[in-house]
Amino acid sequence: MHDSLTLTLSGQSSVLESNYFPPIELDANKNYVLGLIELLTFNSIPNIENGCNRLYLDDNKVISIQPGSYEIEDIESYLKTALSSENIEFSLKPNNNTLRSTLLCSRQVDFRPKDSIGRLLGFTSRVLEPGKEHISDLPVAILKVNALRVECNITSGAFINNQRVHTIHEFFPAVPPGFKIIEVPSNVIYLPVSVKRIDSIQLRIVDQDGALVNFRGETITIRVHVRSI
């Protein structure tokens, strides 16, 4: 029987799983709780992915931006470089006061296609006239992920709004893209363990909408602590 143990799972997916044989037996006469004590990975979460990464111009010209983590300035630099060979004038600037963007292009820009980059830049589904400065209709949606949630399938006692969930920890990366995430909670929140025998465990990293987070193949290591109460 175990009164306290740590379990470490590591892999290159947002879903980490481990099977234990023989199973880890917990004392049937005691109650157990589980908490996250460490999460290590790199902040490689993209805000531009296939499906929302294309700029459509007139004459059927389409520029695709490689998936990755971009600031507005990076997007402008990428597109200006791609368009420079055809002498197409292009400018994209953020307004840090209104949180909107300003776009100028010497060619017509079409933000109506579903895989257009328009929504990320704050533009609704519309066509922009050439040679004019256009201000986005909405705030820039450059941050796709607002929260990272770690879920564990053998815990209970967590709610998001009125829904039961398996979330054991929630945070937002404190480092910019490309830097190492070292998440070590100063106050570990322990949630009840719902089993008396651990033969398998699954940890998932999801965003605020419950969708799996894309770390683009970076190694993720999570350590959890199980103890009796």
Side-chain angles (χ1 to χ4, degrees):
M1 302 296 181
H2 299 271
D3 283 334
S4 177
L5 67 148
T6 61
L7 304 175
T8 300
L9 282 73
S10 188
Q12 295 175 303
S13 167
S14 295
V15 179
L16 303 177
E17 297 179 286
S18 184
N19 298 311
Y20 302 98
F21 184 80
I24 300 171
E25 299 286 350
L26 303 179
D27 192 331
N29 297 315
K30 296 180 180 180
N31 294 318
Y32 289 81
V33 291
L34 179 150
L36 181 143
I37 55 177
E38 187 177 60
L39 184 151
L40 306 173
T41 188
F42 281 90
N43 186 0
S44 56
I45 305 169
N47 55 5
I48 292 184
E49 299 184 80
N50 293 326
C52 62
N53 64 326
R54 310 188 86 183
L55 180 74
Y56 290 82
L57 305 179
D58 54 8
D59 297 331
N60 296 317
K61 184 169 185 59
V62 182
I63 304 296
S64 295
I65 301 177
Q66 291 295 318
S69 303
Y70 295 80
E71 297 291 344
I72 290 291
E73 294 82 359
D74 301 323
I75 298 173
E76 181 193 44
S77 176
Y78 189 105
L79 293 173
K80 287 182 76 169
T81 299
L83 296 170
S84 61
S85 61
E86 300 185 36
N87 295 318
I88 298 175
E89 181 185 358
F90 183 86
S91 172
L92 176 66
K93 303 296 181 186
N95 186 319
N96 293 326
N97 297 311
T98 65
L99 303 180
R100 299 173 188 249
S101 66
T102 301
L103 187 149
L104 171 67
C105 185
S106 58
R107 298 271 290 274
Q108 177 181 285
V109 176
D110 188 356
F111 283 141
R112 293 175 298 179
K114 290 185 178 180
D115 60 352
S116 163
I117 196 176
R119 178 62 191 93
L120 185 147
L121 301 178
F123 288 90
T124 55
S125 177
R126 62 187 178 100
V127 175
L128 306 185
E129 297 179 30
K132 294 178 61 176
E133 197 172 78
H134 298 271
I135 299 174
S136 66
D137 313 274
L138 304 168
V140 172
I142 196 73
L143 285 179
K144 182 179 179 182
V145 173
N146 190 51
L148 296 179
R149 293 174 178 158
V150 181
E151 299 180 339
C152 178
N153 68 320
I154 63 170
T155 62
S156 61
F159 288 81
I160 294 178
N161 295 324
N162 62 344
Q163 299 294 316
R164 292 179 182 272
V165 295
H166 295 283
T167 302
I168 58 173
H169 186 66
E170 182 172 333
F171 71 104
F172 184 81
V175 297
F179 285 77
K180 191 172 184 66
I181 296 174
I182 303 175
E183 179 66 11
V184 180
S186 55
N187 295 300
V188 178
I189 296 175
Y190 286 90
L191 291 177
V193 174
S194 58
V195 299
K196 291 300 183 183
R197 169 187 290 181
I198 303 175
D199 51 18
S200 67
I201 189 172
Q202 182 188 83
L203 302 175
R204 302 169 77 244
I205 306 177
V206 300
D207 64 15
Q208 66 282 351
D209 299 317
L212 289 172
V213 176
N214 178 13
F215 284 94
R216 291 191 281 167
E218 290 289 349
T219 298
I220 303 167
T221 300
I222 300 177
R223 189 157 56 103
V224 297
H225 181 214
V226 179
R227 63 178 176 87
S228 63
I229 55 172

